[in-house]
Amino acid sequence: MTEVTTLMPATKKAETQANSAARLGLWLTLPAQLLVLFIALFPILMQVYISLTDWSPLDGIPWWRAYELWIGLLNYTDLMADSRFWGALWRTLFVMLVCVPVQFLLGLGLAVLFVDDFRGKRVLYSTLLVPMMVVPAVAGYMFFMLFQSGGPVNDLLSFFTSEPVRIAWLSDPDLALIAVMVADIWQWTPLMFLILLAGMISVPQDQQMAAILLGASWWRRFFTIVLPRMKSIIIIALAIRVIEIFKIFDTLFIMTGGGPGVATETISVYIYKVTQQELIWSYVAAIALAILIVLSVVSVFAIKRMQRGQDG
Amino acid sequence: MSEIALENLGKSFGDFTALADMNLTIANGEFMALLGPSGCGKSTTMNMIAGMLRPSSGTIKFNGLDVVDVPMAKRGVGFVFQNYAIFTHMSVRENLAYGLRAQGVRAGEMTKRVQAFAELLQLEPMLDRPAAGLSVNILQRLAIGRSAILEPAIFLLDEPLSNVDAAFRAVMRSELKSLQGQFGQTMVYVTHDQLEAMTMADRIAVMDHGKLLQVGTPLEIYNNPADTFVARFIGAPGMNILNGRLTQQADTVAVDLPGLGSVALPPALQAAAARLTTPDVLVGFRPEQINAAKAGLTMHVGFVERIGARTIVHMEQGAASAKAVLLSEVETPKARKDWTFAVPDDAIRLLDPVTGQALVGRPN
Amino acid sequence: MTSIQFENVSKSYGGVLAVDQVSFDVPDNAFFCFFGPPLSGKSTILKLILGLETPDSGEIFFDGRPMRDVSSPDRNVAMVFQNLALFPHMTALENVRFPLVERNIDEATIKARVAEVTDKLHMAHILHKPPSQLSGGERQRVAIARALVRDPVAYLMDDPISALDARLREETRVELRRMQQDMAKTLIYVTHDQEEAMSVSDQMLILEEGRVCQIGAPHDLYDAPNSTYVASMLGSPAMNMASAAEVIGALAKTPDINQSTSVVGIRPEHLTVACKDGPGRVTGIEPLGATTILSIEAAGVAWKAALRGQPEHSIGAPVELSVDPGALHCFDAQGKALSAA
């Protein structure tokens, strides 16, 4: 008993010491933590604030006095009824649903080819990565030239069909979107390829050897060992591209300017036009927040899937 | 059931010769250990038997048939990887069934065989658990079961115990040995641990620097090592090998160990010694065959290492060093003192100082 | 030249006690070994000594000085990590020099100190190579040299040779022991290999789930384990354990066993095996050359006997087991050792 009684205070004292040290640490780092939080959150909070007003830079009052033009959720209800916004959103989703799978399959195919060694691999590898390094604006200009009615794309088609083809790619509302998607696939398949290749290389060699020795064919190995083991990296690659497509802007804007009409107007282009041409900044803030919420949901979903993939 | 014959097998990578001129026949149902330090060519040999590497020269025959051109998937070889290469993204059941499924075995048959193997390997309770996070002995059983379920004629194991805790290795060794008893396949086991080879193998092939040095049962290799490398590699600690000079004493030959004293040669070695052209010779004797004595060899005791039931005495004398293993009950010599010991006649081995080869005329 | 004491030290992580009321005293210049299975608290104790963790309760002393407020670098304790943690972009020499260069010591002293250590470790021929070109054993040497060169008050080594070949392990542990004696420094060593632990240490501390089981010289722990746990941790093959009734059934001569004995332990090397009709049957033979390990079934228990030399035995043959009464270890129902039966 005596041993216990003499021991208890020492234990208590030690614990309080440890606790107070921890609390001091918290206080000392608090200013830095607040600063980081402020930097991260300020733009978003400002957006939320502005989006609840009818403020525009033309109103002649500083942004922080925007509460004088308070309109509540009016911007958001407007957004719900804005057919141009919904058109841009659906168009973006359409581009995403076409481009991401195509980029994924092309990237995966290339990764399969490049995972083994062959003659000239390094040269080909560097060449394949070039599109990714081209400045998007330059890529936009390149594809603008390629898809002119007298441009190389039509020349090529003429050569194969042996009759003169004069398709006005960029001014036809249906074809313009195709041209834009071709450009995006050209530019971003290499990134997909790069990520998937890294994932494929990291699939343990002995697992594949073990599967071969158990008599598994190439396809069986690919679907039962390689792909399942790449799950996390595949989800990351897809998530990156999905988010990037929401931001698709520069290449597209140079090629078509969002036109003809609104035929290639994606969310980013729409936001740009509303900001720069119509100067309804508070409305833009509302759109931006809506998109942020959509993307957050997508990211959360992807991360959830990824965690499940790691558990399983 | 299969016999493996390696004939003049060789492998080089560029200028580097990983394996040269290996001849070895592994009998049907035999447990053969390929033993040697890292870089000795044992894994290269194994990978060629499995078909992961193509020989640079020579052939590999299974039951007399040349298999060099047979791709690894078709050789019917079970392979257990060093880290087991378990498909951790699958359940235990899916791992076991993988090979059967790949070979298109019908679902009913497959379920039956998986069940039977799960029972045999005591994997039943965890059949539907994910293979990730299982303990290492279960992983070993699963790795063996996954290959064994295809009933391969040949089983290759690549240092499967090297990642296992020392305390657990003994358990895993006996488990592995009993599994081999159950399946009865020809087993080739690669290891750098002489204890693993001694305890499990029917025969051991000792390798070094891409060469096969000796093949024999554990006791043959222990008792009559073919050369200095094998002598030092087998046993814990390995054989003591000291420089000596043959001297004629009356009508017998003895060996003088400079600074230590001299030992009389047993009759069986007299003739072998007589055939030598120079008096220089290497004398080998096992540390555990040494006994304290009034007269014999004397060395300076450096330090004494007591490990449970036995005590290892580290001794030096000039440039020579030797070890003695004594039972703990025996009075141990004092550190930093001279100690005199005797080597029994039949424990002495002679080796050629130039080639390192053992001199024939072994006492037993 | 430092003694290290723990006084009732506890440390828990998220409510789980990793180290539970641990007290011990590492004397000056001792080779002190912590031994236990994974997660028994060995690594936590090292972190506490290093000052990487603060104890929840209890006190740590270096030479009688409490260490609670002494930061990790000021404790001047060197550590060799399990994964060695060598810098891959530096040569072996640069790796060894690193701790001295970091401390702004003058070049002549660095040279002298490095030369002294690298000579002792026989590593002159590998100094110019980067770690990627070194063998496992050579990397080990670099890591140890890097720890030695600082001249710290004590060294900690966390299972530093477990990655080596079996043969190299045997040599390196002797080397380590020699080094420690040459350097005359306190060395605290963690391993999970019982043979290594017994071979190198002056004193061993056996841990189970964060608690101290027994402290003492290796051969004292081996000869007189205070519990079935300690008994089973040391020795290879492990000590045979059976109930009193089973022991009486298996042995030729009924030993005198104390009433309160629940478990009897017999070391494999203390069993004598006679080739005559008896209750035992040989089920396995492992000829190791110097010793022969027999697996024997008797009285429904699997026994291991370690026999000296290469005696003739055959599987399935009946045998008679006997043991010197002085070699029996008796334990009560809680697994605690009883004084000799």
Side-chain angles (χ1 to χ4, degrees):
Chain A
M1 272 318 280
T2 45
E3 203 187 324
V4 175
T5 42
T6 52
L7 212 135
M8 280 309 285
T11 317
K12 274 243 172 73
K13 197 175 127 211
E15 268 166 22
T16 18
Q17 262 180 15
N19 281 348
S20 67
R23 227 170 318 154
L24 178 67
L26 185 69
W27 281 112
L28 288 176
T29 55
L30 197 60
Q33 290 190 27
L34 285 177
L35 184 68
V36 168
L37 209 63
F38 179 72
I39 291 169
L41 284 184
F42 178 76
I44 293 171
L45 292 176
M46 180 181 164
Q47 296 266 304
V48 172
Y49 170 55
I50 299 276
S51 75
L52 298 171
T53 69
D54 195 20
W55 181 80
S56 151
L58 297 181
D59 294 339
I61 56 172
W63 69 268
W64 48 269
R65 275 175 58 203
Y67 62 84
E68 292 170 13
L69 303 165
W70 193 265
I71 53 167
L73 292 174
L74 197 63
N75 275 329
Y76 291 92
T77 49
D78 280 355
L79 189 62
M80 289 296 138
D82 182 349
S83 62
R84 208 171 140 200
F85 165 73
W86 287 108
L89 189 61
W90 288 127
R91 214 167 285 118
T92 310
L93 284 176
F94 176 75
V95 170
M96 188 182 97
L97 288 175
V98 174
C99 287
V100 175
V102 170
Q103 285 163 357
F104 173 70
L105 290 176
L106 284 176
L108 193 65
L110 285 169
V112 167
L113 292 179
F114 274 79
V115 87
D116 293 320
D117 277 320
F118 57 86
R119 197 180 280 272
K121 174 176 167 174
R122 298 179 72 164
V123 175
L124 209 57
Y125 180 74
S126 324
T127 318
L128 267 173
L129 296 186
V130 166
M132 211 170 72
M133 300 171 198
V134 172
V135 177
V138 175
Y141 186 67
M142 256 164 56
F143 278 87
F144 176 73
M145 302 295 286
L146 285 172
F147 282 109
Q148 289 304 307
S149 58
V153 173
N154 281 340
D155 291 345
L156 200 67
L157 289 174
S158 309
F159 177 75
F160 280 117
T161 55
S162 338
E163 51 191 81
V165 178
R166 283 285 171 270
I167 302 173
W169 288 96
L170 298 179
S171 40
D172 181 311
D174 295 330
L175 296 180
L177 200 59
I178 293 178
V180 164
M181 290 192 295
V182 166
D184 190 74
I185 290 166
W186 178 82
Q187 184 150 39
W188 295 114
T189 296
L191 178 68
M192 197 66 109
F193 159 62
L194 204 62
I195 298 174
L196 293 177
L197 181 63
M200 208 171 278
I201 287 170
S202 71
V203 175
Q205 200 62 39
D206 50 10
Q207 298 244 332
Q208 303 213 47
M209 282 288 188
I212 295 175
L213 285 162
L214 292 171
S217 63
W218 188 89
W219 286 105
R220 175 172 291 277
R221 265 169 16 236
F222 188 70
F223 285 110
T224 59
I225 311 288
V226 178
L227 276 189
R229 292 209 153 251
M230 287 174 65
K231 204 153 112 190
S232 309
I233 207 115
I234 287 175
I235 290 168
I236 290 171
L238 292 179
I240 290 177
R241 282 313 301 148
V242 163
I243 291 169
E244 287 287 311
I245 291 238
F246 265 86
K247 305 195 253 172
I248 182 172
F249 181 78
D250 21 26
T251 313
L252 183 151
F253 195 77
I254 288 173
M255 283 173 73
T256 65
V262 292
T264 58
E265 193 171 275
T266 58
I267 277 295
S268 301
V269 174
Y270 177 56
I271 289 176
Y272 170 78
K273 285 185 176 168
V274 174
T275 322
Q276 294 301 316
Q277 296 170 3
E278 297 165 33
L279 294 170
I280 321 173
W281 283 26
S282 62
Y283 189 49
V284 169
I287 300 173
L289 276 173
I291 301 292
L292 183 71
I293 289 164
V294 172
L295 286 184
S296 305
V297 170
V298 171
S299 312
V300 167
F301 175 73
I303 289 166
K304 277 259 168 68
R305 275 301 306 266
M306 223 146 66
Q307 278 168 345
R308 238 185 308 151
Q310 271 156 7
D311 294 343
Chain B
M1 293 288 151
S2 220
E3 180 197 86
I4 306 169
L6 312 179
E7 294 175 1
N8 305 316
L9 194 65
K11 177 75 189 171
S12 34
F13 301 96
D15 289 340
F16 174 69
T17 306
L19 184 73
D21 213 21
M22 169 128 169
N23 284 288
L24 179 66
T25 305
I26 302 164
N28 210 337
E30 190 174 24
F31 195 134
M32 172 70 81
L34 300 183
L35 174 68
S38 36
C40 73
K42 57 191 193 296
S43 297
T44 308
T45 309
M46 170 101 106
N47 291 344
M48 285 195 286
I49 298 175
M52 291 178 200
L53 283 178
R54 205 187 154 75
S56 308
S57 59
T59 57
I60 300 168
K61 289 178 178 166
F62 290 178
N63 279 337
L65 294 173
D66 191 332
V67 292
V68 166
D69 292 316
V70 179
M72 69 171 150
K74 297 261 156 63
R75 287 196 189 183
V77 164
F79 199 104
V80 176
F81 290 80
Q82 190 166 10
N83 59 5
Y84 306 128
I86 292 297
F87 306 135
T88 45
H89 57 291
M90 300 179 187
S91 68
V92 171
R93 183 191 300 280
E94 285 166 330
N95 267 282
L96 271 181
Y98 193 87
L100 296 176
R101 194 166 280 156
Q103 310 211 331
V105 173
R106 279 182 300 108
E109 169 74 14
M110 191 164 74
T111 320
K112 242 177 30 205
R113 273 167 72 183
V114 167
Q115 196 59 39
F117 263 78
E119 270 168 42
L120 183 68
L121 299 168
Q122 296 163 8
L123 291 171
E124 263 175 310
M126 54 217 89
L127 260 183
D128 291 303
R129 277 215 252 143
L134 292 175
S135 69
V136 67
N137 61 331
I138 291 175
L139 288 181
Q140 171 174 293
R141 268 187 262 156
L142 180 55
I144 291 169
R146 187 178 67 178
S147 294
I149 204 164
L150 298 175
E151 291 166 4
I154 294 168
F155 234 118
L156 307 178
L157 298 100
D158 186 8
E159 307 204 23
L161 301 187
S162 59
N163 294 328
V164 180
D165 268 11
F168 208 53
R169 249 178 245 152
V171 178
M172 303 274 283
R173 276 204 310 262
S174 62
E175 195 164 273
L176 197 58
K177 182 80 181 158
S178 78
L179 283 177
Q180 197 246 353
Q182 282 167 9
F183 298 128
Q185 276 110 343
T186 309
M187 278 218 188
V188 183
Y189 185 98
V190 161
T191 181
H192 61 249
D193 187 343
Q194 58 96 25
L195 184 66
E196 280 175 24
M198 294 285 281
T199 48
M200 290 191 290
D202 296 323
R203 283 198 301 157
I204 300 174
V206 187
M207 302 176 69
D208 188 36
H209 287 114
K211 282 208 199 66
L212 177 61
L213 300 177
Q214 190 175 7
V215 187
T217 65
L219 284 184
E220 277 167 17
I221 288 184
Y222 174 86
N223 289 330
N224 295 310
D227 67 6
T228 50
F229 179 84
V230 179
R232 290 198 180 105
F233 200 76
I234 300 287
M239 188 181 265
N240 294 309
I241 294 178
L242 298 169
N243 286 306
R245 271 181 91 81
L246 294 171
T247 53
Q248 192 73 36
Q249 289 180 344
D251 53 349
T252 62
V253 183
V255 189
D256 184 35
L257 300 169
L260 279 70
S262 83
V263 288
L265 279 189
L269 280 174
Q270 297 271 356
R275 283 197 299 273
L276 282 177
T277 48
T278 63
D280 289 324
V281 75
L282 294 176
V283 178
F285 51 90
R286 293 272 169 205
E288 50 273 6
Q289 290 170 320
I290 297 175
N291 297 309
K294 291 245 153 53
L297 301 175
T298 303
M299 291 184 85
H300 184 77
V301 176
F303 92 108
V304 177
E305 187 185 9
R306 195 192 145 173
I307 308 164
R310 47 193 206 126
T311 302
I312 303 178
V313 183
H314 298 257
M315 304 177 291
E316 280 172 1
Q317 192 71 54
S321 67
K323 288 170 195 159
V325 174
L326 305 173
L327 291 182
S328 299
E329 287 89 7
V330 179
E331 194 193 344
T332 50
K334 298 272 174 297
R336 301 179 215 295
K337 289 266 169 60
D338 283 347
W339 187 57
T340 304
F341 58 91
V343 184
D345 266 9
D346 60 358
I348 292 177
R349 303 288 177 273
L350 289 185
L351 302 104
D352 189 309
V354 181
T355 62
Q357 298 294 311
L359 298 178
V360 281
R362 293 154 188 160
N364 48 341
Chain C
M1 294 281 281
T2 301
S3 67
I4 296 173
Q5 283 130 313
F6 269 46
E7 223 179 75
N8 296 315
V9 172
S10 293
K11 175 77 192 170
S12 60
Y13 296 102
V16 181
L17 266 174
V19 170
D20 186 5
Q21 295 281 319
V22 166
S23 301
F24 59 83
D25 188 345
V26 181
D28 235 21
N29 297 344
F31 200 127
F32 194 91
C33 185
F34 290 97
F35 177 62
L39 303 179
S40 55
K42 296 172 295 191
S43 303
T44 309
I45 290 180
L46 286 196
K47 285 184 197 154
L48 288 165
I49 297 172
L50 278 171
L52 299 177
E53 296 282 3
T54 323
D56 293 341
S57 66
E59 198 67 76
I60 299 169
F61 301 94
F62 283 15
D63 283 336
R65 212 176 116 222
M67 283 291 123
R68 180 168 290 279
D69 297 319
V70 179
S71 73
S72 184
D74 291 341
R75 293 188 190 188
N76 194 20
V77 175
M79 170 87 184
V80 175
F81 291 92
Q82 200 165 14
N83 61 5
L84 305 186
L86 294 180
F87 305 118
H89 57 287
M90 296 183 185
T91 62
L93 179 64
E94 285 164 344
N95 265 288
V96 175
R97 287 168 53 95
F98 183 81
L100 299 182
V101 174
E102 283 305 288
R103 280 159 193 233
N104 295 321
I105 295 167
D106 69 281
E107 185 60 30
T109 317
I110 293 182
K111 278 231 169 80
R113 188 87 193 110
V114 168
E116 182 193 339
V117 170
T118 52
D119 276 358
K120 239 172 209 148
L121 295 179
H122 312 291
M123 47 188 288
H125 59 293
I126 57 168
L127 284 177
H128 61 284
K129 294 184 186 167
S132 59
Q133 288 175 27
L134 300 178
S135 73
E138 289 166 340
R139 272 182 226 171
Q140 207 71 50
R141 264 158 217 270
V142 178
I144 292 169
R146 191 176 60 179
L148 291 175
V149 81
R150 267 173 56 182
D151 200 24
V153 296
Y155 307 101
L156 309 187
M157 297 193 178
D158 187 0
D159 219 348
I161 64 177
S162 62
L164 303 186
D165 271 15
R167 176 47 38 95
L168 207 50
R169 266 203 312 265
E170 276 163 31
E171 286 165 11
T172 314
R173 74 178 189 223
V174 174
E175 194 64 27
L176 270 175
R177 180 67 171 145
R178 282 224 174 93
M179 251 158 44
Q180 189 264 341
Q181 288 178 343
D182 289 348
M183 297 280 178
K185 284 275 153 82
T186 307
L187 198 157
I188 291 177
Y189 194 84
V190 164
T191 177
H192 61 254
D193 183 335
Q194 54 97 17
E195 187 172 309
E196 196 177 302
M198 287 196 285
S199 154
V200 292
S201 45
D202 294 318
Q203 286 210 54
M204 275 174 86
L205 186 158
I206 297 189
L207 282 163
E208 183 187 19
E209 289 171 2
R211 280 188 307 277
V212 176
C213 293
Q214 197 170 359
I215 307 178
H219 53 91
D220 288 340
L221 302 196
Y222 186 84
D223 293 341
N226 68 1
S227 64
T228 49
Y229 178 78
V230 172
S232 67
M233 292 295 284
L234 298 181
S236 173
M239 185 188 275
N240 296 295
M241 304 256 188
S243 72
E246 286 163 341
V247 169
I248 291 165
L251 295 182
K253 229 172 67 198
T254 305
D256 187 19
I257 294 173
N258 189 317
Q259 282 296 306
S260 49
T261 299
S262 155
V263 177
V264 179
I266 303 172
R267 293 258 176 229
E269 64 269 19
H270 293 145
L271 275 177
T272 315
V273 181
C275 285
K276 59 181 171 189
D277 208 10
R281 205 171 51 82
V282 178
T283 57
I285 305 169
E286 291 176 306
L288 302 184
T291 52
T292 302
I293 313 288
L294 288 188
S295 301
I296 294 161
E297 204 185 290
V301 178
W303 303 83
K304 294 264 187 203
L307 310 178
R308 196 164 156 82
Q310 301 165 8
E312 289 281 335
H313 281 283
S314 51
I315 290 189
V319 286
E320 190 188 80
L321 297 177
S322 51
V323 66
D324 175 11
L328 293 183
H329 296 265
C330 294
F331 304 95
D332 67 14
Q334 280 73 48
K336 290 268 159 291
L338 300 163
S339 46

